[in-house]
Amino acid sequence: MRLMITVVGLAFLAGGCAQAPAEVFPVTSFETQGDLQAWEIQGQSALSDEWASDGKQSLKLTFDQGKGLLLNRSALPGDWSQYELLKVDVYNTGPQFSVTLRTDDADGATISSWYHPVRSGASTLDFHVRGLAEKIDVSRIQMAHLRIDPPVERPLEWFVDNLRFTVGEPTEEAKVEVPPEVAPISERPGNLLANADFELGFQHWGSWGMWDGGQYEFGTASGENAHSGRYSAAVICNKLGRGGIFCAPITIPADGSYTYSFWVKASEPSAIRFGGSVGGDHFWDEQVGAEWQRVERVLDFAAGDEGRMYLMSIGPGVVYFDEVTLAGKTPPTQQATGTATDPAQVEVRGTTLYVNGKPFFPIGIYRASPEDLKGTSFNCIPGWDQADAATLDACLEAGVYMMPDLTGLMRGHLAYQAPLAIAAVRNHPAVLCWYVCDEPDHEKWNVGADEVKLATRLLHEADPNHPTVSVVMQWAESNLYRFADSLDILATDIYPIRAEKPSDLSRIAYGTAVMRRTVGNSKPIWTVVQSTEQGTEAEHYAATYLALTEGADGILYWEFESGHKRPEVWQAILKIAGELAELTPALCQEDAAEQPTASDARVHCILKSGPAGDYLIAVNESHEDAGSVALTLPQAGGGQVEVLFEGRRVPVTDAVIRDTFGGYARHVYRRGRFPPERIQSCQLCLS
């Protein structure tokens, strides 16, 4: 019996418009022993007639300890600069794991393209040469290897074939095998847990795999590894410790006894920990085996108790959970579902988002409720998993948009279910866009760019009114390139503000600039910066304005709870949001064809020109005083410019503005006025 954890087969092929013919430059397909001798392999290897994607042979790799690498000696060329992608076909016979490509140039500079998922079954790994070029000289490659990263504490068997470079060939969509239709299970009346049968992956569930020194990954399973319906939740042990899933926060509706139950099995004898933190901690351990067994506990709760319920693996192998219930004897009163059904028309035009025909600059903050933002300058809430129609109604009343979150679905590797996941709310006027996946390149849930691309296409087909966005982790620059053509809007999160000072805010400028280089002017880029109790007012200002100077087309903050803990921080965040709202007409217009320069490299600047006037934004990335800085404009001129938000004016002499930049200081200079009609044409918030 072969372990089946959802993923990929060959049945669900991508559609789409015709592409220009791609050029393919073969490296090797492992047809002969000579092909094999050109590689250094840490692990057992052999040519195989199984799972060959090109020719008759493939390379079979077996790593007994779950770690190893495939290192080139002479097979790969030294100059990669003429190529766009390095592509590798793989077939994995077991649960998902991750690989990393490390490349070094002749000068010893190195970059790693982190955490490419090797899912169960067949898939193709894409490594973007332009992404590697952010850190190394790709025309002088000295060494490259694929390694298991992070390593796992279980045997691995996989097949590698058809290594090739390509030009003009985009990232492929995921090829998924849809399980047969099955009769839906009946939901138990009064169950307080949403998506309790995991038919939508991990929607309404969170996951974590690094408790107690463990390393666990997450997937969905089908066939005999689903107790009912099509799917179950799979918790995969790579390193023994503790990892598991937890429901969205719940509130107990009435006093009484509640039954917590679920079905569970394991690929090998294992142990689980389960329970919850509702009204206090209640946890138990239990041994599980290869046959499905039902586990049940009765808990007494009081009305208003809040918390989460957990399902965790504390053993080896793969543990499967299905049909989870937390229900009392009396079903709770059904909540209102909302009635608004007139969708906003949201579209991307170049680097700008338009809502109902008007330019829109997103000013958002995570983990806020609609009531928290009512009356502020914030205009959206990103990534809210529980975006039911009633919550969207609350957004409509508060005047903010929401980005419903499909992260749980994608972490369950069920991209093809995306249209089903949005069906109930896709026409609600408070929906801004679909937040496809948060940090898909994270090592613990690792969602491939091909899965994100498939979800985007299917969402477009089901809903032409809303674009897609994902936040990709910035610290692996090459990953931004992996996801660039999989989404309508590319975003990244950069969090350098810390309790220990100084904070290195230059990372925000660098990360945003990489995003801009990644997509050019083909689509918007959004930067997620911190709203944190660890930061100062000056740090929050500089973080925001550094993203703007490198071309951010939207600013999102992580997150409400942390920023709200210190009143002075929260007041600063509110003031910054107000400034962004006032600057929206300027931020939604083009970058000037020629850009200014600063006499101090620590000062970043950008010039926005258009009907709203000329706006020069400049900010010091450093905590150190930069003193007097000369900002040289691209065109000759004199006179004066207004310094917004400061109540002063400064002279322009021979196309140069001289101004003082203290630590983390920002200045916004304006020449010209906002025409009233221009202000009215910009969508500042939901109305």
Side-chain angles (χ1 to χ4, degrees):
M1 178 186 72
R2 179 160 285 156
L3 181 66
M4 294 291 292
I5 294 186
T6 63
V7 143
V8 296
L10 301 171
F12 199 105
L13 299 178
C17 59
Q19 300 284 338
E23 296 181 80
V24 179
F25 303 88
V27 175
T28 184
S29 287
F30 299 106
E31 295 298 303
T32 69
Q33 288 296 326
D35 296 334
L36 187 56
Q37 290 170 2
W39 298 83
E40 177 181 320
I41 301 168
Q42 293 182 1
Q44 301 174 40
S45 62
L47 297 180
S48 172
D49 58 5
E50 293 185 89
W51 310 117
S53 63
D54 183 61
K56 296 181 179 180
Q57 303 284 318
S58 67
L59 173 62
K60 180 180 180 180
L61 298 171
T62 305
F63 299 127
D64 291 338
Q65 297 301 315
K67 56 185 176 182
L69 59 81
L70 178 64
L71 172 68
N72 86 38
R73 283 194 178 276
S74 58
L76 289 169
D79 184 358
W80 295 13
S81 62
Q82 60 187 306
Y83 309 122
E84 293 179 2
L85 292 174
L86 171 63
K87 307 188 82 167
V88 186
D89 293 339
V90 294
Y91 192 96
N92 175 20
T93 62
Q96 174 172 310
F97 61 93
S98 301
V99 299
T100 290
L101 173 72
R102 172 178 164 172
T103 47
D104 296 0
D105 66 18
D107 295 325
T110 184
I111 187 172
S112 291
S113 185
W114 298 99
Y115 307 146
H116 290 243
V118 181
R119 301 188 299 269
S120 303
S123 58
T124 298
L125 306 179
D126 293 329
F127 302 97
H128 289 249
V129 176
R130 283 181 60 212
L132 304 178
E134 288 289 343
K135 284 289 184 69
I136 65 172
D137 182 352
V138 295
S139 69
R140 301 166 61 236
I141 298 294
Q142 186 72 32
M143 183 276 292
H145 70 241
L146 282 172
R147 69 178 185 271
I148 310 300
D149 187 18
V152 300
E153 293 182 346
R154 56 181 167 83
L156 299 178
E157 177 186 87
W158 56 307
F159 297 79
V160 176
D161 202 10
N162 194 16
L163 276 76
R164 72 269 189 200
F165 288 96
T166 66
V167 174
E169 188 176 36
T171 300
E172 299 177 0
E173 289 185 4
K175 307 173 183 71
V176 302
E177 183 176 347
V178 180
E181 285 285 355
V182 293
I185 67 170
S186 58
E187 293 283 353
R188 177 171 177 178
N191 191 359
L192 300 178
L193 308 180
N195 187 34
D197 52 5
F198 305 106
E199 297 301 289
L200 291 178
F202 295 108
Q203 282 296 95
H204 307 289
W205 292 82
S207 59
W208 190 244
M210 301 176 68
W211 288 310
D212 299 339
Q215 290 186 357
Y216 290 76
E217 292 189 21
F218 306 91
T220 50
S222 60
E224 63 187 24
N225 292 324
H227 185 258
S228 63
R230 279 180 170 170
Y231 299 112
S232 67
V235 181
I236 306 160
C237 178
N238 291 331
K239 179 182 177 183
L240 198 60
R242 178 165 57 101
I245 60 177
F246 42 89
C247 72
I250 58 173
T251 301
I252 299 299
D255 294 348
S257 295
Y258 289 76
T259 300
Y260 183 46
S261 66
F262 54 90
W263 288 86
V264 61
K265 63 175 283 190
S267 63
E268 58 184 275
S270 190
I272 62 170
R273 182 165 297 160
F274 64 96
S277 59
V278 180
D281 290 338
H282 317 272
F283 287 96
W284 300 269
D285 293 350
E286 184 137 338
Q287 298 296 311
V288 295
E291 301 297 325
W292 284 105
Q293 63 190 75
R294 187 173 185 272
V295 177
E296 176 183 303
R297 293 291 189 277
V298 176
L299 297 163
D300 291 326
F301 293 130
D305 283 347
E306 297 178 331
R308 301 177 186 267
M309 303 303 292
Y310 290 78
L311 296 166
M312 297 173 283
S313 169
I314 53 175
V318 184
V319 176
Y320 309 93
F321 297 100
D322 208 353
E323 294 182 58
V324 192
T325 298
L326 179 66
K329 295 180 179 179
T330 304
T333 303
Q334 185 69 30
Q335 295 184 347
T337 59
T339 57
T341 58
D342 185 17
Q345 306 298 310
V346 186
E347 60 181 319
V348 171
R349 302 180 194 172
T351 60
T352 303
L353 196 66
Y354 281 75
V355 178
N356 297 325
K358 298 178 183 179
F360 181 93
F361 187 88
I363 310 166
I365 187 164
Y366 289 79
R367 292 187 171 180
S369 71
E371 294 76 16
D372 292 328
L373 303 186
K374 190 172 184 178
T376 73
S377 296
F378 285 100
N379 57 23
C380 58
I381 303 173
W384 190 320
D385 182 47
Q386 301 180 79
D388 56 25
T391 305
L392 287 163
D393 281 353
C395 285
L396 193 65
E397 195 276 331
V400 294
Y401 289 99
M402 180 176 284
M403 306 177 200
D405 190 353
L406 304 183
T407 296
L409 181 84
M410 299 303 293
R411 289 180 183 172
H413 305 290
L414 297 180
Y416 88 94
Q417 294 274 61
L420 178 61
I422 70 166
V425 298
R426 69 183 183 189
N427 290 326
H428 198 287
V431 172
L432 181 67
C433 59
W434 303 116
Y435 192 95
V436 176
C437 192
D438 187 69
E439 296 182 342
D441 48 338
H442 196 288
E443 65 175 289
K444 288 297 165 286
W445 35 78
N446 219 331
V447 178
D450 57 343
E451 297 175 86
V452 174
K453 190 168 189 176
L454 173 61
T456 287
R457 178 174 67 81
L458 296 177
L459 288 167
H460 286 170
E461 292 176 358
D463 171 29
N465 297 316
H466 301 99
T468 62
V469 63
S470 282
V471 171
V472 181
M473 297 173 70
Q474 178 271 331
W475 52 265
E477 299 91 340
S478 58
N479 285 0
L480 292 169
Y481 288 84
R482 285 170 58 194
F483 292 89
D485 66 350
S486 300
L487 300 149
D488 300 311
I489 302 159
L490 184 67
T492 193
D493 46 359
I494 313 169
Y495 303 150
I497 297 176
R498 56 182 189 160
E500 299 80 16
K501 304 300 180 187
S503 301
D504 183 9
L505 300 191
S506 67
R507 288 175 47 201
I508 295 172
Y510 173 77
T512 305
V514 173
M515 275 200 298
R516 179 52 72 206
R517 289 193 291 272
T518 299
V519 303
N521 291 320
S522 65
K523 61 184 64 178
I525 59 170
W526 296 351
T527 304
V528 186
V529 296
Q530 287 162 282
S531 164
T532 172
E533 60 183 317
Q534 294 184 334
T536 65
E537 178 177 352
E539 286 176 316
H540 285 92
Y541 267 96
T544 302
Y545 279 88
L546 280 167
L548 296 180
T549 60
E550 298 298 336
D553 304 301
I555 297 292
L556 309 178
Y557 291 91
W558 178 267
E559 43 84 34
F560 177 81
E561 294 176 3
S562 180
H564 202 255
K565 286 180 180 178
R566 284 178 56 199
E568 61 271 31
V569 167
W570 182 238
Q571 290 306 309
I573 295 295
L574 290 175
K575 287 197 302 183
I576 297 169
E579 292 184 10
L580 295 177
E582 184 174 336
L583 290 172
T584 286
L587 297 174
C588 288
Q589 63 189 12
E590 298 289 333
D591 296 354
E594 297 181 73
Q595 286 293 315
T597 59
S599 60
D600 191 313
R602 296 171 295 181
V603 175
H604 300 249
C605 53
I606 190 170
L607 179 62
K608 308 284 285 188
S609 295
D614 294 333
Y615 287 76
L616 172 58
I617 301 171
V619 58
N620 182 4
E621 71 176 27
S622 173
H623 70 288
E624 296 179 339
D625 191 332
S628 178
V629 176
L631 303 173
T632 302
L633 303 175
Q635 295 181 351
Q640 287 191 330
V641 292
E642 180 184 3
V643 188
L644 295 181
F645 316 120
E646 299 181 43
R648 62 188 179 98
R649 304 178 72 86
V650 296
V652 182
T653 305
D654 296 329
V656 174
I657 298 172
R658 287 195 172 275
D659 208 348
T660 300
F661 282 80
Y664 297 136
R666 67 90 180 89
H667 302 308
V668 181
Y669 308 95
R670 179 176 68 178
R671 186 197 300 275
R673 297 177 179 273
F674 285 99
E677 64 275 10
R678 178 66 179 176
I679 295 177
Q680 293 169 3
S681 71
C682 285
Q683 181 89 11
L684 301 183
C685 60
L686 192 159
S687 58

